[in-house]
Amino acid sequence: MTTTRLAGHALVEALIAQGIDTAFGVPGESYLAVLDGFHEHRDRIRFIACRHEGGASFMAEAQGKLAGWPGVCLVTRGPGASNAAIGLHTAFQDSTPMLLLVGQVAGDQRDREAFQELDYRQVFGPGTLGMAKWVAEVQHADRVPEYVARAFHTAMQGRPGPVVLVLPEDMLTTPTAAAVLPRALPAQAWPAPGALRDLRALLAQARRPLAIVGGSGWTAESARALQRFAEAWQLPMGCGFRFQDTFDNRHPLYAGDVGIGINPKLAARVRDADLILAIGVRLGEMTTAGYSHLAVPRPAQRLVHLHAGAEELGRVYAADLLLQCALSCAGQALATLEPPPGTLPWQDWAAAAHADYEANQIAPAVAPLDMAEVVKCVQRLAPPDTVYTNGAGNFSAWLHRYTRYAGLQHHGRTQLAPTSGAMGYGVPAAVAASLLYPERTVVNVAGDGDFLMTGQELATARAHGAGTRGGRLISIVVDNGTYGTIRMHQEREYPGRVSGSELPANPDFAALARAYGWHAARVATTDAFEPAFAAALAADGPTLIHLKLDPDISTPRTTLGALRAAALKARAGS
Ligand SMILES: Cc1ncc(C[n+]2csc(CCOP(=O)(O)OP(=O)(O)O)c2C)c(N)n1
């Protein structure tokens, strides 16, 4: 017999039953009964109070990415929910399981545009281009466990994603004796035997195959089996945009990341392939270079698309073969395919793909601060299971190009980065990772624009002891005094006409970090970086390293000056 308690308490118990021990949020008077439930069960679950709902929702999204289990975010009505939208959108585009709980006005006030009232079904409306897989308002206290269990199933099954549960204030204060439901175990799709046979036949006919892997829902076991499949078939393996940690970047079959800033040789290889195996990835705009490397709807290459979501298959691409398969068992399904006896005809092609990747790791030296050397130094000194986080901006191009992510079978996800391209993601994601895995080191690389969108979460890190329990928490801010990515686009499209992309009044980031109780250092040369990073790894507590970068250095491949000159020349010639 379950004793009667407030629905707000029952909600917290239902979260605990789903295996949740940490939730992120900003409190609101709309869900006091839930906060009281957190107090009641504080020995089993903690509420991490953040400084902005954008930070809280990013933290919950990062929790979902890391754990493969929905991260939970709690926010208040209209203003709180509006602030939280960015994390929800990121979870949607990145296929991350997540649960957003939103306080709502009492039922007897509904539809009057009461204080902070919003209709969340309309705001976050589900559908392929919505922000959530499911949005529901829980009307009856007795049904709280039912809604929570369904929310977890919906967030995890098929293509994972975010779910929103809306909680009217009066419902939360209603007593209920409803028992919580057991932990949701997501159903797993496995491809039909005939589809696997067809895949084997397509592979056997191929001469230049290339796999692009990624997506959310992998397990270590499945990732290990994926590697066995790759080895058995000697397949060159690319990783989709910001799913770079799916396949071991140190493996001789690794071909590089298929995203923004792709190695031009890999881009050519994607175009020249006669068979693309898209495994787990959505084949979004960034992975396909604006749907150009793979033409829509019918690519020039033969295409096999394996994805967890039935709705995703055939949505954008008319593939030659579609396989619906949960990524938790995709590796095992693929590993059942026996390669033909003898040497596979594409071994040279696979070796060349990896050689291209290795050659792309070599960079011309840049002075006084060489970002390639910074990223390589981080990886040389940081522990192998370090989690790397970033938001959006050109600074991330160095991280993506020079970091060798370990592969999911080794340390789970080690790359927390928004495929949604959301600025501000990296700091909260790092804080969340550090709080969830206190023994692991977490390194965030942020742009100056990117950092200041959510930098206030440095306070959340400090309040909860992030980076003080074995693992280190380090944020590296790349300060070039511009919204550099936008400046890059401007120089290409409107050369010399700088508008809205300058950041002339940046703070002293090191002083700012110190004000939050972080250690801090300022670095302007390559040589000064290593001692600063070593000190951060040895420090007791989190550290911010403020890098001063020449704004002209736009990406690992070009400068603003070169972009402007090329654009002006093209204009003069046209
Ligand atoms: C939330 C959000 N707002 C705006 C953008 C558009 N945007 C993409 S990159 C960028 C500039 C990033 O600047 P910064 O963090 O300084 O990095 P940089 O490109 O200079 O390396 C902007 C404004 C975005 N992606 N996300």
Side-chain angles (χ1 to χ4, degrees), residues 168-188:
E169 197 177 330
D170 54 338
M171 183 282 291
L172 289 174
T173 52
T174 303
T176 174
V180 299
L181 291 172
R183 190 169 173 159
L185 288 177
Q188 304 186 343

Short mmCIF file of all heavy atoms in Angstrom, two decimals, residues 168-188:
data_model
loop_
_atom_site.label_atom_id
_atom_site.label_comp_id
_atom_site.label_asym_id
_atom_site.label_seq_id
_atom_site.Cartn_x
_atom_site.Cartn_y
_atom_site.Cartn_z
N PRO A 168 -0.01 21.44 -13.63
CA PRO A 168 -0.82 22.50 -13.01
C PRO A 168 -0.60 22.53 -11.49
O PRO A 168 -0.51 21.48 -10.84
CB PRO A 168 -2.26 22.09 -13.35
CG PRO A 168 -2.13 21.16 -14.51
CD PRO A 168 -0.82 20.47 -14.36
N GLU A 169 -0.52 23.75 -10.98
CA GLU A 169 -0.17 23.95 -9.58
C GLU A 169 -1.12 23.23 -8.62
O GLU A 169 -0.69 22.60 -7.66
CB GLU A 169 -0.20 25.47 -9.33
CG GLU A 169 0.49 25.92 -8.10
CD GLU A 169 0.45 27.45 -7.99
OE1 GLU A 169 0.44 28.14 -9.03
OE2 GLU A 169 0.44 27.94 -6.85
N ASP A 170 -2.43 23.31 -8.92
CA ASP A 170 -3.40 22.68 -8.02
C ASP A 170 -3.34 21.16 -8.11
O ASP A 170 -3.63 20.46 -7.13
CB ASP A 170 -4.82 23.20 -8.29
CG ASP A 170 -5.23 23.05 -9.75
OD1 ASP A 170 -4.33 22.94 -10.62
OD2 ASP A 170 -6.44 23.04 -10.03
N MET A 171 -2.97 20.63 -9.27
CA MET A 171 -2.80 19.18 -9.39
C MET A 171 -1.67 18.72 -8.46
O MET A 171 -1.77 17.71 -7.77
CB MET A 171 -2.51 18.82 -10.85
CG MET A 171 -2.38 17.34 -11.16
SD MET A 171 -0.80 16.61 -10.71
CE MET A 171 0.30 17.38 -11.88
N LEU A 172 -0.58 19.50 -8.43
CA LEU A 172 0.60 19.10 -7.65
C LEU A 172 0.34 19.09 -6.15
O LEU A 172 1.01 18.38 -5.41
CB LEU A 172 1.78 20.05 -7.95
CG LEU A 172 2.40 19.92 -9.34
CD1 LEU A 172 3.45 21.01 -9.56
CD2 LEU A 172 3.03 18.54 -9.53
N THR A 173 -0.65 19.88 -5.71
CA THR A 173 -0.93 19.92 -4.27
C THR A 173 -2.10 18.99 -3.88
O THR A 173 -2.55 18.99 -2.74
CB THR A 173 -1.26 21.36 -3.82
OG1 THR A 173 -2.28 21.88 -4.67
CG2 THR A 173 -0.03 22.25 -3.90
N THR A 174 -2.57 18.21 -4.85
CA THR A 174 -3.64 17.25 -4.57
C THR A 174 -3.03 15.96 -4.01
O THR A 174 -2.05 15.47 -4.55
CB THR A 174 -4.42 16.92 -5.87
OG1 THR A 174 -4.91 18.14 -6.42
CG2 THR A 174 -5.55 15.95 -5.62
N PRO A 175 -3.62 15.42 -2.91
CA PRO A 175 -3.08 14.15 -2.37
C PRO A 175 -3.38 12.98 -3.31
O PRO A 175 -4.41 12.96 -3.99
CB PRO A 175 -3.83 13.97 -1.05
CG PRO A 175 -4.50 15.28 -0.78
CD PRO A 175 -4.71 15.95 -2.10
N THR A 176 -2.47 12.04 -3.37
CA THR A 176 -2.69 10.83 -4.17
C THR A 176 -2.02 9.65 -3.48
O THR A 176 -0.97 9.79 -2.84
CB THR A 176 -2.13 10.98 -5.60
OG1 THR A 176 -2.27 9.72 -6.27
CG2 THR A 176 -0.67 11.39 -5.62
N ALA A 177 -2.64 8.49 -3.69
CA ALA A 177 -2.04 7.25 -3.17
C ALA A 177 -1.50 6.41 -4.32
O ALA A 177 -1.14 5.24 -4.13
CB ALA A 177 -3.09 6.46 -2.38
N ALA A 178 -1.42 6.99 -5.52
CA ALA A 178 -1.00 6.22 -6.69
C ALA A 178 0.43 5.71 -6.52
O ALA A 178 1.33 6.49 -6.16
CB ALA A 178 -1.10 7.08 -7.94
N ALA A 179 0.63 4.43 -6.79
CA ALA A 179 1.97 3.84 -6.67
C ALA A 179 2.81 4.18 -7.90
O ALA A 179 2.28 4.30 -9.01
CB ALA A 179 1.84 2.32 -6.54
N VAL A 180 4.11 4.34 -7.70
CA VAL A 180 4.98 4.62 -8.85
C VAL A 180 5.12 3.36 -9.70
O VAL A 180 4.94 2.25 -9.21
CB VAL A 180 6.37 5.12 -8.42
CG1 VAL A 180 6.26 6.41 -7.65
CG2 VAL A 180 7.13 4.07 -7.63
N LEU A 181 5.44 3.56 -10.96
CA LEU A 181 5.60 2.41 -11.87
C LEU A 181 7.07 2.03 -11.96
O LEU A 181 7.96 2.86 -11.70
CB LEU A 181 5.07 2.79 -13.26
CG LEU A 181 3.54 2.96 -13.30
CD1 LEU A 181 3.11 3.53 -14.64
CD2 LEU A 181 2.85 1.64 -13.03
N PRO A 182 7.35 0.77 -12.33
CA PRO A 182 8.76 0.36 -12.41
C PRO A 182 9.52 1.11 -13.50
O PRO A 182 8.91 1.70 -14.40
CB PRO A 182 8.69 -1.13 -12.74
CG PRO A 182 7.28 -1.45 -13.00
CD PRO A 182 6.42 -0.28 -12.65
N ARG A 183 10.83 1.04 -13.41
CA ARG A 183 11.70 1.72 -14.36
C ARG A 183 11.38 1.29 -15.79
O ARG A 183 11.23 0.10 -16.08
CB ARG A 183 13.15 1.35 -14.01
CG ARG A 183 14.16 2.17 -14.74
CD ARG A 183 15.55 1.95 -14.16
NE ARG A 183 16.50 2.64 -15.02
CZ ARG A 183 17.72 3.03 -14.67
NH1 ARG A 183 18.14 2.78 -13.47
NH2 ARG A 183 18.51 3.64 -15.51
N ALA A 184 11.27 2.26 -16.66
CA ALA A 184 10.92 1.98 -18.06
C ALA A 184 12.11 1.34 -18.77
O ALA A 184 13.21 1.88 -18.73
CB ALA A 184 10.55 3.28 -18.76
N LEU A 185 11.89 0.20 -19.37
CA LEU A 185 12.96 -0.41 -20.17
C LEU A 185 12.60 -0.21 -21.64
O LEU A 185 11.61 -0.76 -22.11
CB LEU A 185 13.10 -1.90 -19.84
CG LEU A 185 13.70 -2.19 -18.47
CD1 LEU A 185 13.72 -3.68 -18.20
CD2 LEU A 185 15.11 -1.61 -18.36
N PRO A 186 13.38 0.58 -22.36
CA PRO A 186 12.97 0.89 -23.73
C PRO A 186 12.96 -0.34 -24.62
O PRO A 186 13.84 -1.20 -24.52
CB PRO A 186 14.04 1.90 -24.19
CG PRO A 186 15.17 1.76 -23.25
CD PRO A 186 14.63 1.23 -21.97
N ALA A 187 11.95 -0.44 -25.48
CA ALA A 187 11.89 -1.53 -26.45
C ALA A 187 12.96 -1.30 -27.50
O ALA A 187 13.31 -0.16 -27.83
CB ALA A 187 10.51 -1.55 -27.09
N GLN A 188 13.52 -2.38 -28.02
CA GLN A 188 14.62 -2.27 -28.97
C GLN A 188 14.24 -2.92 -30.29
O GLN A 188 13.93 -4.10 -30.33
CB GLN A 188 15.85 -2.98 -28.42
CG GLN A 188 16.27 -2.46 -27.06
CD GLN A 188 17.58 -3.08 -26.61
OE1 GLN A 188 17.99 -4.08 -27.13
NE2 GLN A 188 18.20 -2.45 -25.64
#
